[in-house]
């Protein structure tokens, strides 16, 4: 098990007031999972669904928001970010903050923590992976074999490339 430091800057606390209940709701849905296999699937499904929602044309998104009672407005106070993929790490970070976990103890959990905007989450996941060669191998296997996780990583790759330059 590897300890998870509390993020130095809270995504939940600094998010717009209108977005906070939505983020807390996402965290509550993830927390409802019996274990990290279920939680990983829930995180991936929720975020892939939000990505698909924001890929819709503006008029279709607005029609769903007004008619279908979908999640507020995605958190920007307007029609949604130009590319939701740019904010996926923020959403992952907010969900993980809402879980308020103290340790990383499995590959599914570490894989999700790697996707967070918070360096503290990423560091804990990396330390867990490095603590035992089997841990790192388990996370790499999950990255290759889990279709949902791989799709989420592909969508986040653009964000990482913008922040860190091309990935090796």
């Amino acid at each position: 098990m590897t300890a998870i430091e509390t993020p130095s800057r809270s995504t939940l606390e600094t998010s717009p007031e209108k977005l906070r209940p939505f983020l807390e709701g996402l965290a509550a849905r993830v927390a409802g999972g019996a274990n990290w296999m279920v939680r990983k699937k829930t995180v991936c499904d929720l975020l892939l669904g939000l990505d698909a929602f924001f890929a819709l044309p503006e008029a279709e998104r607005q029609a769903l928001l007004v008619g279908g009672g979908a999640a507020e407005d995605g958190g920007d106070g307007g029609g949604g970010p130009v590319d939701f993929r740019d904010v996926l790490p923020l959403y992952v970070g907010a969900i993980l903050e809402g879980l308020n976990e103290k340790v990383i103890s499995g590959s599914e959990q570490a894989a999700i923590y790697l996707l967070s905007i918070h360096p503290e989450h990423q560091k804990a996941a990396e330390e867990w992976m490095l603590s035992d060669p089997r841990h790192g191998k388990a996370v790499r296997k999950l990255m290759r074999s889990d279709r949902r996780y791989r799709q989420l990583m592909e969508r986040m790759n653009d964000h990482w490339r913008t922040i860190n330059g091309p990935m090796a």
Side-chain angles (χ1 to χ4, degrees), residues 127-144:
E127 286 178 0
W128 183 83
M129 291 171 59
L130 292 171
S131 70
D132 184 327
R134 293 174 293 185
H135 293 170
K137 183 177 180 180
V139 172
R140 287 189 300 277
K141 180 180 178 187
L142 182 147
M143 290 175 168
R144 285 189 309 272

Side-chain angles (χ1 to χ4, degrees), residues 35-46 48 107-112 115 137-155:
N35 57 46
W36 261 100
M37 289 184 78
V38 175
R39 290 181 193 135
K40 176 189 55 73
K41 179 188 179 307
T42 303
V43 168
C44 291
D45 287 347
L46 288 171
L48 290 170
S107 58
E108 289 86 3
Q109 182 185 18
I112 296 298
L115 302 177
K137 183 177 180 180
V139 172
R140 287 189 300 277
K141 180 180 178 187
L142 182 147
M143 290 175 168
R144 285 189 309 272
S145 64
D146 187 299
R147 178 184 46 85
R148 286 180 192 92
Y149 186 82
R150 194 172 52 250
Q151 288 174 332
L152 190 58
M153 282 189 62
E154 289 168 2
R155 283 161 175 76

